[in-house]
Amino acid sequence: MQEAKTSQRMSPGLQRVMERARRNPHERQFALAYLIDVDALRRCYCRLRKESAVGVDGVTKADYGRDLEMNLQDLHTRLKAMTYRHQPIRRVHIPKDKNRTRPIGISATEDKIVQDALREILEVIYEQDFLDCSYGFRPGRSPHDALRALHQAVRNGEANVILEADITSYFDSIDRPMLTKMLQERIADKSFMRLVGKCLHAGVLDGDVFSRPDEGTVQGSILSPILGNIYLHHALDRWFEEDVKPRLRGKARLIRYADDFLVTFERRDDAERVMAVLGKRLGRFKLSLHPDKTRLIDFRRPPWRQTGGKGPGTFDFLGFTVYWRRNYQGRGWHVSWRTRKARLRRAINTAYELCRRQRHLPVPVQHQALKRRIQGHFNYFGVNDNQRSLTILRHHVRRSWYKWLCRRSQRSRLNWERFKDLMRDFPLPNSQVYVNLWDDP
């Protein structure tokens, strides 16, 4: 059904490319660049978010759209004449846990359109090649699907041992010549590859410092997720499914979302064998595993009659901590999820800062901003057994909102009773299950 819906949204040219890629998985595609016409560029423009950050030229989507047809025609002419040049990427640093930051690259609006046009073509080709173990940045797939696959592996007894892996600075470590060779296995159109190269080799402007990295892809780029998936498809997915699994004595499953992945094993000896060779395999592709974040976890189901004590080890995956939890009747165990402490702390701090910044705005405006922020968090983290984490966040948001509303004026102070009346008129989202991870993927 998802494939049918996707096909209906495609242009006839993209559908032909998709059908050829599906029929001939080892065939190279020779004619692709012609698909980037004005209609394709217009589709990509419409997909841009209205509030997306601006690049080095400061041009917003609205600015570009004021003379949209003329701008798209001019861009198409430059693409055909091969005079298009990718502008430098503006680098910003967003907060991460433990006082660290993550560098994000922001392209100019015109470059985002070109990147999305390239992504659209790459996607229809490689969606025919990608394996079921990959869930990140793929149409019709989500992080919750990866978590459901993990739940199914645990339920089927295939997750007695978990290999938790972390690739160090993945997107910055991708080897561009290797990536180019991977793309050339499926793409023979030199004009198309030249455009991909221009996006890959764009310079980076970090404050006043300009640099031109010779490896990696920029995080935040529209093109980076699909290129990262292609790289790990060759480096990890195919190797595990075609070479590793047939040699194992028990069942095993790779679950990957972009560069976050883990491997579940039925037998510990299989896990130890894969652990011993995984670093060497990734090393062949210039990737390295973080020594402190790559480990084997005993995750066998505790004895059914055990009523005291804790379950086996826990691990983190896609923003959740995964652990064994006793059933509500007191006996038996089931796998459960809770929001990672660092992610919960970050959400609380973000809501606090939002309340502080917007304290002088009208209450309905503050409420809408808070509601959007909390609902977005709940839509992702509102899974089975995680209501306590949601309740904690909601409690802290109420306290933060009350605190900063009290500081709006020195003349009158908002007491708690008046604030409760306000909350009845402007309620926050409820902490409940929004996503059922117990369904089969």
Side-chain angles (χ1 to χ4, degrees):
M1 181 65 69
Q2 178 66 33
E3 183 178 314
K5 292 180 181 179
T6 304
S7 299
Q8 291 174 4
R9 294 194 297 266
M10 287 183 187
S11 68
L14 284 174
Q15 289 188 29
R16 288 193 296 270
V17 170
M18 181 184 69
E19 290 163 3
R20 286 201 307 267
R22 183 187 298 124
R23 286 196 310 266
N24 306 296
H26 303 293
E27 181 183 78
R28 301 174 74 201
Q29 303 278 349
F30 280 88
L32 295 174
Y34 82 96
L35 295 170
I36 307 178
D37 54 15
V38 175
D39 289 337
L41 296 174
R42 190 183 299 108
R43 283 198 307 273
C44 298
Y45 170 81
C46 292
R47 281 196 293 262
L48 289 178
R49 292 185 299 110
K50 293 181 181 179
E51 67 279 5
S52 59
V54 298
V56 293
D57 58 359
V59 176
T60 65
K61 179 181 179 180
D63 295 336
Y64 196 86
R66 288 194 184 98
D67 230 335
L68 180 61
E69 293 306 316
M70 188 181 74
N71 288 332
L72 294 180
Q73 288 287 351
D74 176 65
L75 175 59
H76 182 243
T77 300
R78 284 182 283 127
L79 289 170
K80 284 185 66 176
M82 293 186 290
T83 58
Y84 162 77
R85 294 290 181 270
H86 196 295
Q87 298 182 65
I89 295 172
R90 182 169 70 91
R91 174 166 286 170
V92 298
H93 299 267
I94 62 174
K96 200 179 174 182
D97 54 338
K98 297 182 180 178
N99 298 321
R100 295 180 299 169
T101 60
R102 184 192 301 274
I104 297 294
I106 302 174
S107 302
T109 298
E110 184 176 82
D111 298 326
K112 291 177 184 177
I113 295 172
V114 174
Q115 290 175 22
D116 197 33
L118 294 171
R119 178 208 57 79
E120 187 178 56
I121 296 171
L122 288 172
E123 188 174 273
V124 299
I125 296 173
Y126 280 95
E127 273 300 309
Q128 319 313 314
D129 297 350
F130 288 154
L131 304 179
D132 287 340
C133 60
S134 169
Y135 292 89
F137 304 104
R138 296 182 57 187
R141 293 190 162 212
S142 71
H144 296 132
D145 293 322
L147 294 170
R148 289 188 185 101
L150 173 61
H151 179 263
Q152 186 183 60
V154 174
R155 187 180 60 192
N156 294 343
E158 302 173 16
N160 296 324
V161 180
I162 305 289
L163 196 167
E164 183 184 22
D166 182 88
I167 301 177
T168 304
S169 303
Y170 170 64
F171 285 98
D172 294 332
S173 303
I174 291 177
D175 185 85
R176 292 177 183 174
M178 284 189 179
L179 176 60
T180 301
K181 289 182 180 179
M182 294 172 185
L183 292 172
Q184 289 172 344
E185 291 181 12
R186 285 296 253 156
I187 299 170
D189 188 327
K190 293 183 179 179
S191 297
F192 183 89
M193 290 298 300
R194 188 180 297 111
L195 274 178
V196 174
K198 287 182 178 181
C199 295
L200 268 178
H201 294 88
V204 176
L205 187 64
D206 192 345
D208 296 329
V209 179
F210 177 82
S211 61
R212 197 176 291 277
D214 55 4
E215 62 180 13
T217 65
V218 178
Q219 282 187 269
S221 162
I222 293 176
L223 200 55
S224 288
I226 182 72
L227 295 179
N229 269 341
I230 293 169
Y231 200 78
L232 278 181
H233 171 73
H234 288 80
L236 179 65
D237 299 356
R238 284 174 48 181
W239 168 73
F240 183 80
E241 295 292 334
E242 297 172 7
D243 297 339
V244 175
K245 282 181 71 172
R247 292 178 169 84
L248 300 180
R249 300 176 64 186
K251 295 179 180 180
R253 182 181 298 194
L254 169 65
I255 303 172
R256 181 175 68 80
Y257 189 91
D259 59 320
D260 292 331
F261 73 94
L262 53 81
V263 190
T264 68
F265 296 92
E266 184 181 13
R267 298 172 57 97
R268 186 168 188 90
D269 56 345
D270 287 339
E272 291 171 347
R273 289 169 58 197
V274 174
M275 178 82 164
V277 299
L278 179 61
K280 298 176 183 177
R281 169 67 184 183
L282 295 179
R284 291 175 54 186
F285 295 86
K286 310 296 179 66
L287 303 175
S288 60
L289 292 172
H290 196 295
D292 299 327
K293 297 181 181 179
T294 302
R295 57 183 182 137
L296 292 179
I297 301 125
D298 181 6
F299 203 66
R300 289 172 295 178
R301 184 188 297 270
W304 184 82
R305 293 183 178 276
Q306 178 179 328
T307 57
K310 298 181 180 180
T314 65
F315 61 94
D316 296 331
F317 188 50
L318 300 181
F320 292 90
T321 296
V322 189
Y323 66 103
W324 284 105
R325 177 174 180 168
R326 284 188 290 275
N327 292 335
Y328 299 108
Q329 294 83 0
R331 290 194 177 185
W333 298 74
H334 66 275
V335 68
S336 189
W337 298 265
R338 65 171 176 262
T339 309
R340 279 185 61 200
K341 291 181 179 179
R343 292 292 293 269
L344 181 58
R345 191 182 310 113
R346 191 193 314 168
I348 292 171
N349 293 339
T350 301
Y352 181 90
E353 286 300 313
L354 183 64
C355 293
R356 183 186 65 82
R357 290 196 312 269
Q358 299 190 346
R359 63 187 183 275
H360 295 302
L361 297 179
V363 170
V365 176
Q366 295 186 47
H367 173 252
Q368 285 301 317
L370 275 176
K371 186 178 177 181
R372 284 195 301 269
R373 177 77 63 175
I374 299 171
Q375 191 63 63
H377 183 95
F378 283 11
N379 288 343
Y380 183 79
F381 288 100
V383 303
N384 312 79
D385 291 343
N386 195 35
Q387 290 94 320
R388 184 173 182 273
S389 296
L390 305 187
T391 302
I392 291 172
L393 174 61
R394 194 174 187 273
H395 168 74
H396 281 277
V397 170
R398 289 182 65 188
R399 292 185 59 182
S400 299
W401 199 16
Y402 175 64
K403 171 182 176 178
W404 289 108
L405 284 177
C406 287
R407 299 192 179 189
R408 281 160 60 96
S409 172
Q410 295 179 352
R411 295 183 180 179
S412 62
R413 182 173 177 83
L414 178 69
N415 60 41
W416 185 250
E417 291 301 321
R418 288 177 58 196
F419 178 69
K420 287 197 296 185
D421 291 338
L422 182 146
M423 287 290 295
R424 280 191 286 269
D425 295 331
F426 300 99
L428 298 177
N430 293 322
S431 52
Q432 63 188 49
V433 175
Y434 291 89
V435 180
N436 185 5
L437 296 184
W438 295 343
D439 293 335
D440 288 335

